[in-house]
Amino acid sequence: MTQTAIPYLFMRGGTSRGPYFRREDLPEDLDTLAKVLVAALGSGHSLNIDGIGGGAAVTTKVAMLSESDDDWADVDYFFAQVSVEDSTVDFKPTCGNILSGVGPAAIELGLVPATDTVTELRIRAVNTGARVTAQVQTPGGQLTFDGETEIAGVPGASAPIALNFMGVVGSSTGALLPTGNVRDLIDGIEVTCMDVAMPLVIARAEDFGLTGYEGAAELDDNTAFFARMEAVRIKAGALMGMGDVSKSVTPKFGLLAPARDGGSIAVRYFMPWKTHPTMAVTGAQCLASCALTPGSVAEGMLARPNENPARLVLEHASGTIEVLVDFSMDDGFALNSAGLVRTARKLADGHVYVPASVWAGQGDRK
């Protein structure tokens, strides 16, 4: 055989999509695993023409699932971000949008049985250690993707998937504010470096000469802004204890501006070398937490909510995303949990093929 067949599901999760694998069907060694994922997705070409990637960062994401050995969790979710053009794989971050499809995929793959009406799964995000509960619609014990829930960036409506994230503070750096400061000044730009679900460097759009309401394409065309932003991000990464981040997709970058369309605050999110066309689930949690933190770069943009949990509506490049934040302010901001509603849909299943020269398959399997 000149190619190795690997079983997979192809799913949209939130506003991302990609293959969902059983972890046991892939190489255990991460170097070999990276080569397999590069070949499967077609990384190294702007269109991913020789693989099943979609030519954008949100369509070159991978979920790998297994039964969890954690006493709390039902399913382990191991995420990989495959680059579009660089033939590289980053195993450090996680992805909340792809996580939206983990519940349905786990049921489809036989990792978790469906229960009547709603199936609740406990998911451990292996990359960061976060704990997430997902409620998946399973009327009559049958998984369904049909429903009336709409999310910005996805056409049509689908069944709702309720996600609740716990244990996400300091998931990558070990601290809510990894520099030890609520604000830092880098290259003349005030930033808040925060680690909630995803480490982010967050700044005010106006400090870059932007409104914060620009569309994704307009921002992507602004090469001067990206060069300045990347310089700040790299220096911030070092201050956050993350080392040289010049080739890493983390920390991500976010911009804030006052809301203008009835939401709580306007946001733009970067992946980091392109503008996210919508909003990352992990990034939404971090940006919402920043908006609620006294003294952050969001100070003055958001009226302090009277309720707890606080329901924040983030206005992003394609619409809005709502985050329900359970927090306390006893000794500064402290996040208890963050909830969101997303959707997912199964697109295809079968086998994806990689050259046997990359991985011969059975003999090298876990």
Side-chain angles (χ1 to χ4, degrees):
M1 296 292 290
T2 60
Q3 296 204 87
T4 301
I6 307 171
Y8 82 115
L9 292 175
F10 197 57
M11 294 190 66
R12 174 185 64 77
T15 55
S16 298
R17 66 170 169 81
Y20 288 65
F21 297 101
R22 290 184 71 118
R23 182 67 181 91
E24 65 185 18
D25 291 330
L26 294 165
E28 184 173 15
D29 173 69
L30 291 186
D31 288 339
T32 306
L33 175 61
K35 293 175 183 177
V36 168
L37 298 183
V38 164
L41 274 295
S43 176
H45 185 278
S46 60
L47 298 178
N48 300 143
I49 199 69
D50 202 35
I52 60 172
V58 294
T59 58
T60 52
K61 298 186 175 190
V62 177
M64 295 161 281
L65 311 184
S66 57
E67 294 181 10
S68 182
D69 57 7
D70 184 283
D71 290 340
W72 178 85
D74 301 309
V75 178
D76 278 354
Y77 157 55
F78 183 39
F79 172 74
Q81 176 68 67
V82 181
S83 71
V84 174
E85 297 189 52
D86 298 335
S87 298
T88 58
V89 180
D90 197 340
F91 294 113
K92 291 191 293 295
T94 192
C95 175
N97 273 304
I98 287 292
L99 192 150
S100 305
V102 168
I107 294 171
E108 288 270 355
L109 293 170
L111 294 171
V112 175
T115 58
D116 193 15
T117 310
V118 174
T119 300
E120 181 164 300
L121 302 90
R122 295 170 297 178
I123 302 166
R124 178 176 68 167
V126 174
N127 307 68
T128 62
R131 293 180 171 187
V132 185
T133 60
Q135 293 184 335
V136 181
Q137 303 301 305
T138 50
Q142 298 296 314
L143 177 65
T144 182
F145 296 103
D146 294 334
E148 302 300 322
T149 299
E150 299 180 6
I151 61 173
V154 177
S158 302
I161 298 171
L163 303 175
N164 192 47
F165 292 77
M166 299 161 284
V168 293
V169 174
S171 57
S172 294
T173 65
L176 171 69
L177 300 168
T179 70
N181 305 313
V182 179
R183 298 192 200 191
D184 292 281
L185 186 66
I186 302 175
D187 292 350
I189 300 289
E190 271 196 325
V191 297
T192 292
C193 299
M194 184 169 282
D195 184 2
V196 174
M198 178 70 69
L200 253 74
V201 184
I202 305 166
R204 292 179 291 261
E206 65 179 4
D207 290 349
F208 283 95
L210 301 170
T211 65
Y213 313 125
E214 293 85 357
E218 182 181 354
L219 288 167
D220 285 342
D221 288 340
N222 192 337
T223 55
F225 159 65
F226 265 85
R228 192 177 181 195
M229 177 182 69
E230 180 65 359
V232 173
R233 189 186 76 89
I234 290 172
K235 292 177 182 178
L239 290 176
M240 296 167 77
M242 300 179 70
D244 180 5
V245 300
S246 58
K247 295 183 178 179
S248 175
V249 298
T250 56
K252 297 295 201 304
F253 206 95
L255 292 179
L256 302 178
R260 69 168 183 176
D261 296 318
S264 305
I265 195 166
V267 302
R268 293 296 182 267
Y269 183 76
F270 303 89
M271 301 184 288
W273 303 298
K274 289 200 72 171
T275 310
H276 199 293
T278 56
M279 186 67 227
V281 168
T282 48
Q285 296 171 65
C286 194
L287 290 166
S289 298
C290 180
L292 290 166
T293 300
S296 77
V297 292
E299 186 76 46
M301 292 187 193
L302 179 73
R304 291 281 169 251
N306 294 322
E307 71 280 5
N308 187 13
R311 192 176 299 274
L312 270 61
V313 177
L314 309 185
E315 300 175 358
H316 57 69
S318 296
T320 62
I321 185 171
E322 186 175 286
V323 187
L324 189 66
V325 184
D326 185 341
F327 67 101
S328 62
M329 299 292 289
D330 296 335
D331 186 20
F333 175 82
L335 176 71
N336 299 320
S337 65
L340 303 95
V341 173
R342 307 304 279 161
T343 65
R345 190 168 76 85
K346 179 181 176 181
L347 305 177
D349 62 19
H351 292 82
V352 62
Y353 292 83
V354 300
S357 58
V358 172
W359 184 50
Q362 292 287 355
D364 296 332
R365 282 188 182 164
K366 185 175 176 182

